[in-house]
Amino acid sequence: MAEEGKTAKPSMPEKKLFSIWKIITPVVIGMAVVAFMFWKDTKKEDVAAVWHSLHFTPFTWFCLALGVLFMFGRDFGMSWRFRALTGKQLSWKSAYEVCFLCEFASCVTPSAVGGSSFGMVFLNTKGIEFGRATALMITTLFMDELFFVVFCPLVVLLTPGNELFDTGASGFSAGIKLTFWLIYTGIFIWTAILFIGIILRPYWIKAVIGKVFGWRILHRWQGQAESLGDNMVATSRELKSRPFRFWVEIFVATALSWFSRYLVVNVLFLAFVPGSDSWQWVILARQLVIWVLLMIGPTPGGSGLSEWLFSECYGDIVSSAGMALILAVIWRVISYYMYLLIGVIIVPGWLKNSLEKFHPGVLGKK
């Protein structure tokens, strides 16, 4: 790891991280899928009539405000984790900015990539040495994966199978269940590799990665693989001296962040679906299933796939397909499009500050 106190330049130019197309693409995909779903549902029912049947009472507005508050609870958990990981080197303001930048990156990249892929760049511009920033982002990845490894089995044990996976259509429900367990198995294996790589035997993992990517068929990715091995060794050095309470703190912050995100859907059902009180645990449990499935989403921010999964997974709880789709759109506005808007607002300032920091005077050139 590079010497502490020095600020290394990011490994990729900040101007290439985001472009107008990366912002427009997920919006277009999401709107196209929603438009198609609305068109399909209008053949079965009057979606406009479903919308007009919604009653925006004071309680409804309270639930919507609570949904937004839960999303900021998610941001608090993420920012708290960044503060803890850096030993409070980041101020709350800087931690929130890194959090919003990571979330914006998640919105404009495929779900399988995620905002963590750019997190080391964001941390680096806040004064965290680049090697250490990479180590910290690998740690956040490990904690996120560990959250699913721990809570998925608990949710499955506490929720009857016919309520967790049975969404009405038997073929779809069986596919959801099989896909969920396949992805969970992959998460479990990846989490075990990360644990061994950053806690137990980083040099073992580095050696295995080097041998595997030494094969001719994988040789083109050998450079990236070697970099991953080096980063795991650096991460291990960074974390081995941390006390147990440090791990408890960042895991609690991680759990707070994820459960706050899930609870947005619970309050939406309370707001718009009468009689959904008895379904609250199932609604929360199915959120875990949806987010596991979204981990392999090929579209930026899960655009299109998220809306479709929501409508399918909750179709048996709401009164109609049109209502499920309306709830899906409201959910995405609160949990996704709001972060696109926040990102559009803060990214220009972050780019300007980063360019001035790493390339002084570049903005003044013609």
Side-chain angles (χ1 to χ4, degrees):
M1 186 181 299
E3 184 181 347
E4 298 250 349
K6 293 183 180 179
T7 304
K9 293 184 179 181
S11 61
M12 64 183 78
E14 293 90 338
K15 289 187 288 185
K16 293 184 179 180
L17 288 178
F18 307 113
S19 68
I20 189 64
W21 292 110
K22 288 184 178 180
I23 299 171
I24 292 176
T25 299
V27 175
V28 171
I29 293 173
M31 292 180 65
V33 172
V34 169
F36 172 76
M37 293 171 71
F38 268 116
W39 173 77
K40 185 181 69 172
D41 289 340
T42 53
K43 293 184 175 182
K44 304 175 185 177
E45 60 185 300
D46 189 347
V47 178
V50 174
W51 170 256
H52 289 300
S53 70
L54 299 180
H55 300 290
F56 287 85
T57 64
F59 178 73
T60 303
W61 288 111
F62 170 75
C63 288
L64 289 174
L66 198 58
V68 175
L69 184 63
F70 277 133
M71 283 310 299
F72 283 110
R74 175 209 169 278
D75 301 327
F76 172 76
M78 291 286 287
S79 303
W80 175 18
R81 187 170 70 175
F82 280 126
R83 287 257 297 164
L85 284 169
T86 60
K88 296 184 172 54
Q89 183 177 342
L90 285 184
S91 66
W92 277 107
K93 180 178 180 295
S94 294
Y96 268 102
E97 187 172 348
V98 171
C99 169
F100 286 133
L101 287 167
C102 285
E103 188 64 20
F104 179 69
S106 296
C107 290
V108 298
T109 58
S111 301
V113 177
S116 297
S117 302
F118 304 105
M120 62 282 293
V121 178
F122 305 143
L123 285 171
N124 182 241
T125 60
K126 297 300 179 184
I128 306 298
E129 188 271 329
F130 195 75
R132 183 178 177 224
T134 303
L136 296 181
M137 291 312 300
I138 290 178
T139 309
T140 66
L141 174 62
F142 170 65
M143 298 309 296
D144 285 332
E145 304 300 310
L146 183 63
F147 169 84
F148 285 99
V149 167
V150 171
F151 283 103
C152 281
L154 289 177
V155 167
V156 171
L157 286 173
L158 296 173
T159 312
N162 64 318
E163 293 184 354
L164 183 60
F165 297 107
D166 187 1
T167 61
S170 58
F172 176 80
S173 300
I176 285 285
K177 186 175 183 179
L178 175 62
T179 306
F180 172 83
W181 284 116
L182 286 174
I183 298 174
Y184 177 79
T185 301
I187 294 172
F188 186 91
I189 294 172
W190 176 232
T191 305
I193 292 173
L194 286 173
F195 178 73
I196 296 171
I198 67 178
I199 303 296
L200 296 181
R201 296 289 188 271
Y203 287 101
W204 287 7
I205 298 296
K206 181 180 178 180
V208 171
I209 291 174
K211 288 182 179 179
V212 170
F213 283 88
W215 299 343
R216 177 176 293 184
I217 192 173
L218 299 175
H219 191 72
R220 61 182 296 186
W221 296 288
Q222 189 174 30
Q224 294 94 318
E226 289 177 352
S227 177
L228 174 62
D230 291 338
N231 287 333
M232 281 194 169
V233 173
T235 302
S236 181
R237 292 172 182 166
E238 169 79 17
L239 298 175
K240 277 187 174 179
S241 61
R242 297 297 181 97
F244 180 71
R245 57 184 168 80
F246 163 81
W247 294 102
V248 172
E249 182 178 4
I250 60 174
F251 186 76
V252 169
T254 301
L256 171 64
S257 178
W258 279 106
F259 279 118
S260 294
R261 185 197 291 263
Y262 298 159
L263 288 170
V264 172
V265 178
N266 287 79
V267 295
L268 288 183
F269 273 84
L270 287 176
F272 295 109
V273 183
S276 62
D277 305 53
S278 60
W279 286 89
Q280 286 300 302
W281 172 257
V282 176
I283 292 168
L284 180 67
R286 288 186 185 177
Q287 271 289 285
L288 198 70
V289 173
I290 288 174
W291 281 100
V292 167
L293 298 176
L294 285 175
M295 284 190 173
I296 59 170
T299 58
S303 298
L305 180 61
S306 298
E307 292 84 352
W308 176 75
L309 275 175
F310 185 99
S311 297
E312 294 294 333
C313 287
Y314 292 115
D316 61 323
I317 299 179
V318 297
S319 58
S320 66
M323 174 62 79
L325 183 53
I326 289 172
L327 286 177
V329 172
I330 297 174
W331 167 58
R332 289 291 278 174
V333 168
I334 294 176
S335 65
Y336 176 74
Y337 289 105
M338 184 173 72
Y339 286 93
L340 272 180
L341 178 61
I342 292 173
V344 169
I345 293 172
I346 69 173
V347 163
W350 173 77
L351 284 174
K352 180 178 181 296
N353 292 336
S354 299
L355 287 172
E356 284 293 339
K357 181 177 182 180
F358 294 106
H359 309 285
V362 70
L363 296 178
K365 296 180 180 179
K366 294 183 179 181

